[in-house]
């Protein structure tokens, strides 16, 4: 559905995007992540035909963004970071205006507008002036303008920026409800939102792709060790000695203040499942094992590992 191959954008001597390549399958939600200035928005503007690439290719539904830009525009819906809404228009009038611009046939226009308002949850404010709506509802109207012509691809640039937690959840649920019907590229700084919404993530830094895949596959690539979290009751030194004596253990560290009821981080050689050995050693040593679980990398860990120099 979306194929990007060695896409670059130069502004004189400055390279904003440098040989970016990635893909998204039909009906997939792809999270596009990166620090400020990494090249996310520039890439999205090239995909939406707002900017011509300096080199490389990008195709949407088989159509090249340079050679067939009008075909690409018919197939995408774009929500930039600031929703392109007219504050003095009503929701109904604005969506009618957008639908006409986007070439929605008059025979189905009313139905398309009604269905779009229903999907985005703005039906009950259809007669309201957009400028009188909350920021969350203006964001919904912005999403509705991207959807009104039923595009095969949706490109959403920071769709929840500036919203409160309740509004973020509502917009997230709207986006998730569109999975399968549309291929979605979602750019956001809110990492939990990506892990709860996206099936695949692409991480860009300094204009280059530094990671691509599911959170699980990226975790497997970056994982240098397996870490267990344990809660053990017993003398600190004695517990530490027991844990260090287990085959495959690389490092033992107590998380809290050194009391006899402590939380421990046990780092093992990758691929070594030492949970049974830990349980047996702790109990045989006369200590009480209250909790034992794997400690997985979070999406934040992956993001920081791929985008920081340290």
């Amino acid at each position: 559905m979306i194929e990007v191959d060695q896409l670059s954008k130069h502004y004189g001597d400055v390279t904003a995007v440098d040989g970016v390549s990635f893909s998204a399958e039909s009906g997939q939600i792809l999270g596009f992540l990166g620090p400020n200035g990494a090249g996310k928005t520039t890439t999205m503007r090239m995909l939406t035909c707002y900017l011509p690439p300096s080199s490389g290719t990008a195709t949407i539904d088989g159509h090249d963004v340079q050679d067939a830009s009008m075909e690409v525009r018919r197939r995408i819906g774009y929500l930039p970071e600031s929703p392109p809404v007219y504050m003095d228009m009503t929701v109904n009038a604005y969506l009618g205006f957008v639908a006409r611009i986007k070439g929605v046939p008059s025979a189905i226009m009313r139905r398309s507008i009604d269905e779009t308002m229903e999907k985005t949850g703005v039906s009950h404010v259809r007669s309201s002036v957009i400028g009188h709506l909350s920021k969350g509802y203006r964001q919904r109207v912005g999403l509705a303008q991207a959807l009104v012509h039923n595009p095969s691809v949706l490109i959403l640039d920071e769709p929840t920026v500036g919203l409160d937690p309740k509004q973020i959840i509502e917009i997230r649920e709207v986006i998730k409800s569109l999975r399968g019907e549309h291929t979605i590229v979602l750019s956001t700084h809110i990492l939990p939102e990506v892990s709860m919404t996206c099936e695949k993530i692409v991480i860009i830094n300094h204009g280059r792709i530094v990671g691509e895949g599911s959170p699980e596959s990226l975790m497997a690539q970056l994982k240098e060790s397996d870490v267990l979290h344990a809660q053990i009751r017993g003398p600190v030194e004695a517990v530490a000695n027991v844990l260090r004596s287990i085959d495959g253990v690389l490092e033992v560290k107590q998380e809290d203040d050194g009391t006899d009821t402590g939380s421990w981080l046990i780092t093992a050689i990758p691929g070594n499942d030492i949970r049974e050995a830990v349980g047996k050693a702790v109990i045989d040593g006369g200590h009480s094992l209250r909790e034992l679980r794997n400690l997985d990398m979070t999406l934040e860990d992956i993001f920081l590992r791929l985008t920081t120099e340290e």
Side-chain angles (χ1 to χ4, degrees), residues 22 24 28-34 40 44 156 184-188 193-195 197-204 211-213 218 299:
F22 63 89
Q28 190 175 52
I29 301 181
L30 181 145
F32 196 47
L33 308 180
K40 299 189 304 298
M44 298 177 103
L156 311 177
I184 302 173
V185 178
L186 170 65
S187 170
T188 180
E193 185 174 303
V194 174
S195 60
T197 308
C198 302
E199 301 147 275
K200 179 180 179 180
I201 59 176
V202 171
I203 301 177
I204 186 172
E212 179 180 359
L218 286 173
L299 185 55

Side-chain angles (χ1 to χ4, degrees), residues 64-305:
D64 189 274
V65 295
Q66 292 195 90
D67 298 337
S69 66
M70 292 309 297
E71 287 299 323
V72 169
R73 291 167 199 246
R74 292 186 183 100
R75 286 165 170 77
I76 60 172
Y78 179 38
L79 176 61
E81 188 172 338
S82 298
V85 295
Y86 292 113
M87 295 295 191
D88 56 349
M89 296 181 76
T90 65
V91 174
N92 195 51
Y94 170 68
L95 292 180
F97 169 69
V98 172
R100 287 191 294 274
I101 287 177
K102 294 189 175 184
V104 178
S106 56
I108 64 168
M109 187 178 296
R110 185 69 264 160
R111 187 174 78 247
S112 296
I113 293 170
D114 289 344
E115 289 176 354
T116 300
M117 287 196 288
E118 189 67 32
K119 282 181 181 179
T120 53
V122 296
S123 295
H124 63 293
V125 293
R126 66 171 67 227
S127 300
S128 299
V129 174
I130 295 173
H132 297 168
L133 298 176
S134 68
K135 183 172 176 57
Y137 272 97
R138 291 200 299 271
Q139 204 77 359
R140 285 172 180 257
V141 175
L143 185 56
Q145 67 78 29
L147 269 173
V148 73
H149 59 305
N150 194 30
S152 53
V153 174
L154 277 175
I155 297 181
L156 311 177
D157 192 359
E158 299 286 351
T160 58
V161 67
L163 303 185
D164 65 37
K166 182 174 182 293
Q167 292 168 335
I168 289 173
I169 292 170
E170 291 171 349
I171 294 293
R172 181 196 304 149
E173 291 305 313
V174 171
I175 293 169
K176 286 169 67 175
S177 72
L178 301 173
R179 175 187 285 131
E181 296 180 54
H182 311 269
T183 303
I184 302 173
V185 178
L186 170 65
S187 170
T188 180
H189 283 101
I190 304 173
L191 298 184
E193 185 174 303
V194 174
S195 60
M196 286 185 264
T197 308
C198 302
E199 301 147 275
K200 179 180 179 180
I201 59 176
V202 171
I203 301 177
I204 186 172
N205 192 37
H206 299 308
R208 296 182 177 182
I209 300 298
V210 293
E212 179 180 359
S214 67
E216 294 77 17
S217 67
L218 286 173
M219 189 186 305
Q221 294 170 33
L222 296 172
K223 209 170 187 182
E224 297 173 349
S225 60
D226 289 326
V227 182
L228 293 177
H229 175 274
Q231 190 173 32
I232 302 168
R233 183 180 179 85
V236 174
E237 281 301 319
V239 170
N241 290 334
V242 166
L243 296 176
R244 291 190 183 106
S245 69
I246 300 168
D247 287 341
V249 170
L250 296 175
E251 183 183 20
V252 173
K253 180 181 178 182
Q254 192 178 31
E255 286 190 284
D256 43 32
D257 57 4
T259 61
D260 286 356
T261 303
S263 294
W264 297 82
L265 291 180
I266 308 162
T267 304
I269 297 170
N272 280 24
D273 188 347
I274 60 170
R275 288 174 295 179
E276 289 185 14
V278 169
K280 185 175 186 306
V282 170
I283 293 169
D284 288 350
H287 310 301
S288 174
L289 180 62
R290 296 185 167 189
E291 182 183 6
L292 183 63
R293 59 182 170 84
N294 284 319
L295 198 64
D296 292 326
M297 290 179 75
T298 65
L299 185 55
E300 183 175 291
D301 296 329
I302 294 170
F303 182 82
L304 291 174
R305 182 80 64 88

